[in-house]
Structure formats: C-alpha cells, structure tokens
Amino acid sequence: MDKYDYHFISIKFLTAILLALVFAFLLIYVFTPNRRGDYLVYNLEESNFQLEGDSFSDFKTISAAAKAEQQEFEKKLKARSFELMEEIKQSLLAVITANHLEKMNGLREARMLTLEAKKRELEQREDSLLQARRQELEAELSQKLQQLRQRVRDKYSDFNQQQIRDNYLKMINLNLKIEFVARSAAEKEKYQKQLQEVKSEQEALMAEKNSQLNEDISEQTSELIMEFNQQYAAYRDQIREEHQKIIAEQSAEIEKELAQARKEIKNSLAVSREEKRIQLEQLIAETKAYY
C-alpha cells in the first residue's frame, strides 16, 4: 500500500464521517417523532368543519399512506446510516493498518539508506586503496625494469664482441688505406668495396645483438607486467571480498532487526485494531439502541 492509497482511505473516511453527520442531523432534528401533545389536533366533531363521507375517507387514506411512506423512509434512512457506520469502522481499521504498514516501510527504507551509505563509503575506500596500491606497484615495476635492462645489457655485452671489435679495426685500416695508401682510382675503389663489406657485416652483427637483447628484455618485461597485473588483481579481489563480507554482515543484521520490528509492529497492529474495533462496535450498538 503506497501513499496514494493512504490519501484515498483518508478521503473515503472523511466523506463517510460527513455523510454520517448529515444523516444523524436528519434523524435527530427532522425525522424524530414529537410527543402527541406537540401536534395541533382538530376535533372534527367539535369544529364546524364538515366533510362528506367519501371525502373524509379519502383524507384518512392519504394521511395513512403519507405516514407509512414517512416510516418507510425513516427505516431506510436508519439502515443506511448504520451501513455508513460500518463502513466508517472498516475505514478506521484500514487507516490503522496503513499507519502500521507505513511505519514498517519507513523503518525498512531508513535501514536500506544506511546500507547504501555504507556501500558508497566502502566503494570510496576501495578506490583510495587501489590507487595507493597501484602507485606502489608501478614504482616497483619501474625499478625492476631498470634493473632488467641493465642486467640484459651486461648479459649481451660480450655477444659477438670480438668479431665486432675486429671489424672496427678493419674499418679503420681500410679508411687509412683509402686516404693514404691507394695510389690509383682502381685501388681506392677496391678498398672502398672491402670497407662496405665490413660495414655490412658489422651492421648485421649489431642487429643480431640488439635483436637478442630486445627480445630478452621484451620477454622479461612481459613477465614483470603480468606479475604487476596479478598482484594488483589479487589485492583488488582481497579488498572487495572484505567489503562484501562487511555488507553481508550488515545486511544480515538489518534483516534481523527488521524481522523483530515486523513482529512487534504486527502485534501492535493486532492490539490497536482490536481495541478500535471494540470501541467502534460499542459506539454503533449504543447508536442503534438510541434510535
């Protein structure tokens, strides 16, 4: 039952009250029979008013019919008034029920708002903790990457190193021959060709060394990044598990509290309805006895 139902019950209740007051007014001040002495009675025998036999008989018939009609109307009016009283009783009992339901719903809504506030608090805590943990892991990762690069460079420092050194010496000698030894263009061209071959070989050796170095660095970097992600995910799961446990415990506590409150409100509702029912039925009985 929502708030619109409460408004509907209240309007119905007020309407029934007003109708009951109107009918009560009619019963008390309009249709209540007066004592015989309060009526002005004509003595047909003593008065000079004379009616013929048929006219007098018609007058008595009309009077009796009017009286019977009035009695029937009063009977129906009383019956309708008592029906309205019964409706008022049911409306009042419904209002009592609605008030207790509203109290229960209000209590539950308040507890749910408390639970939602706790969830938001834990979400903010999770964001803060994860941000701090990420910064910590990123600092560790950066340090490990620097150490990795240095370690791999040291590992490949001797890779083809002798051949690379020999090629450097060859290139120096060939440059000297081109500048100072070659006596002809053909001889100079020969030395330049040899120099180009040595340079190509040197580039191939350096490319192989760099390829091996970069491949090793890339492989170990991937392992470090995977380790970073695993550590971050494990910490995140740990935090969320803790928070879920907190929410579950608080939810269970709230449900327990609501169950107890529901039981108390149910008992209070039964007592209130019974007390009000007895009062209203007594009032209706007294009203019926009066009329």
Side-chain angles (χ1 to χ4, degrees), residues 42-158:
Y42 289 93
N43 191 333
L44 297 178
E45 295 179 354
E46 296 178 356
S47 65
N48 294 325
F49 182 73
Q50 298 293 329
L51 291 175
E52 297 181 358
D54 292 340
S55 298
F56 183 74
S57 177
D58 293 341
F59 175 75
K60 290 177 65 178
T61 301
I62 293 173
S63 298
K67 185 176 182 180
E69 184 179 355
Q70 179 180 355
Q71 290 176 348
E72 181 65 20
F73 176 76
E74 291 177 357
K75 181 179 178 181
K76 291 181 179 180
L77 184 60
K78 289 179 181 180
R80 180 54 183 161
S81 298
F82 296 146
E83 289 177 2
L84 287 175
M85 291 179 186
E86 185 64 27
E87 291 180 5
I88 292 172
K89 183 186 78 172
Q90 297 301 327
S91 297
L92 286 173
L93 295 178
V95 169
I96 293 174
T97 302
N99 289 338
H100 282 75
L101 290 176
E102 183 179 8
K103 181 179 180 181
M104 185 64 212
N105 292 335
L107 180 61
R108 183 175 185 81
E109 182 179 356
R111 293 298 179 269
M112 290 299 103
L113 289 176
T114 301
L115 185 61
E116 288 299 323
K118 187 64 176 179
K119 288 181 180 179
R120 289 193 296 271
E121 176 187 344
L122 293 178
E123 287 175 357
Q124 293 175 357
R125 179 175 182 268
E126 177 183 337
D127 292 339
S128 177
L129 291 175
L130 289 179
Q131 183 178 2
R133 181 57 175 166
R134 187 178 189 88
Q135 292 175 352
E136 179 183 348
L137 291 174
E138 286 176 348
E140 292 179 1
L141 177 62
S142 177
Q143 184 178 2
K144 289 180 180 179
L145 288 175
Q146 291 178 0
Q147 295 173 353
L148 168 64
R149 293 188 184 95
Q150 185 61 44
R151 186 170 61 252
V152 173
R153 288 193 186 98
D154 293 341
K155 176 181 176 181
Y156 288 94
S157 61
D158 294 334

Side-chain angles (χ1 to χ4, degrees), residues 14 27 29 32 35 37 39 60-61 71 79 84 95 103 125 145 153 176 179 184 197 222 227 269 286 288:
L14 292 175
L27 285 174
Y29 296 102
T32 302
R35 293 189 300 273
Y39 290 99
K60 290 177 65 178
T61 301
Q71 290 176 348
L84 287 175
V95 169
K103 181 179 180 181
R125 179 175 182 268
L145 288 175
R153 288 193 186 98
L176 291 174
E179 292 293 333
S184 63
E197 291 176 354
S222 298
E227 181 184 358
L269 172 61
E286 292 175 354
K288 288 181 178 180

Side-chain angles (χ1 to χ4, degrees), residues 18-29:
L18 291 175
L19 289 174
L21 291 175
V22 171
F23 282 118
F25 175 80
L26 292 174
L27 285 174
I28 295 173
Y29 296 102

